């Protein structure tokens, strides 16, 4: 008789297997260095907040839109931190992390949340380098071994939805897509 309430077979689930495979890519020194750099730059949304403020400084005609996009990015990041405190999913324990983390909870990835919010908000303002950089940021969280793919996917969804819902406010009432 099986006494386990949540019976699982002996194979790790897909989340676990994908993380293990991507984390193995961090064995290459250049990959590990790039993933560490992205993780550091994305801590507390710093890269995206700096990008938004730089956009506001350079693009004077759309300064307000850049500042509102930066606020949306910060708001998405704060929302992810709130969700983490409710869900309280532990970080992966089956891989050795390549970076230290600010907290011990994994779901959702706050790095992915702020990255996706910035990709949507700043991408709408023509910053075409932001979406691929945001995707690299999301991937880096798996390579450094501090999130499961579902953490990153949930964070990216939260960030994208937050920025998309705020798009009309960001552009002063003009919806650009």
């Amino acid at each position: 008789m099986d006494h386990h309430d949540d019976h699982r077979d002996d194979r790790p689930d897909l989340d676990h297997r994908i993380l293990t495979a991507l984390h193995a890519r961090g064995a290459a020194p250049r990959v590990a260095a790039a993933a560490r750099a992205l993780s550091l730059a994305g801590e507390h949304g710093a890269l995206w907040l700096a990008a938004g403020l730089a956009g506001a400084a350079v693009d004077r005609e759309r300064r307000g839109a850049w500042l509102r996009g930066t606020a949306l990015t910060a708001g998405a990041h704060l929302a992810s931190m709130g969700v983490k405190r409710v869900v309280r999913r532990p970080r992966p324990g089956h891989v050795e992390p390549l970076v230290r983390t600010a907290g011990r909870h994994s779901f959702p990835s706050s790095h992915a949340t702020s990255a996706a919010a910035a990709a949507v908000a700043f991408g709408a303002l023509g910053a075409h380098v932001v979406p691929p950089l945001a995707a690299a940021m999301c991937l880096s969280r798996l390579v450094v071994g501090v999130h499961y793919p579902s953490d990153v996917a949930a964070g990216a969804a939260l960030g994208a939805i937050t920025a998309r819902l705020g798009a009309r406010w960001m552009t002063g009432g003009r919806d650009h897509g």
Side-chain angles (χ1 to χ4, degrees), residues 12-23:
D13 66 13
L14 188 58
D15 227 14
H16 187 108
R17 292 193 324 244
I18 291 170
L19 171 59
T20 300
L22 290 172
H23 180 63

Side-chain angles (χ1 to χ4, degrees), residues 10-136:
D10 291 331
R11 293 175 297 155
D13 66 13
L14 188 58
D15 227 14
H16 187 108
R17 292 193 324 244
I18 291 170
L19 171 59
T20 300
L22 290 172
H23 180 63
R25 301 300 163 259
R30 287 184 182 166
V31 173
R36 282 187 184 110
L38 283 167
S39 287
L40 180 62
E43 199 63 51
H44 304 295
L47 174 64
W48 313 116
L49 300 177
L53 294 175
V58 172
D59 187 357
R60 293 174 183 247
E61 287 184 18
R62 296 184 301 170
R63 176 174 285 150
W66 280 99
L67 292 174
R68 288 186 292 274
T70 304
L72 285 170
T73 300
H77 185 80
L78 290 172
S80 74
M81 290 171 43
V83 173
K84 270 186 198 220
R85 289 174 193 241
V86 172
V87 174
R88 306 178 69 79
R89 180 184 194 184
R91 293 197 183 268
H94 70 283
V95 295
E96 184 67 33
L98 302 180
V99 296
R100 294 178 61 123
T101 59
R104 64 181 189 269
H105 298 121
S106 189
F107 184 93
S109 166
S110 295
H111 278 69
T113 302
S114 57
V120 171
F122 304 152
L125 294 172
H128 300 299
V129 70
V130 175
L133 186 57

Side-chain angles (χ1 to χ4, degrees), residues 140-160:
S140 78
R141 303 309 284 162
L142 302 171
V143 172
V144 298
V146 296
H147 285 291
Y148 292 102
S150 58
D151 301 332
V152 172
L158 176 59

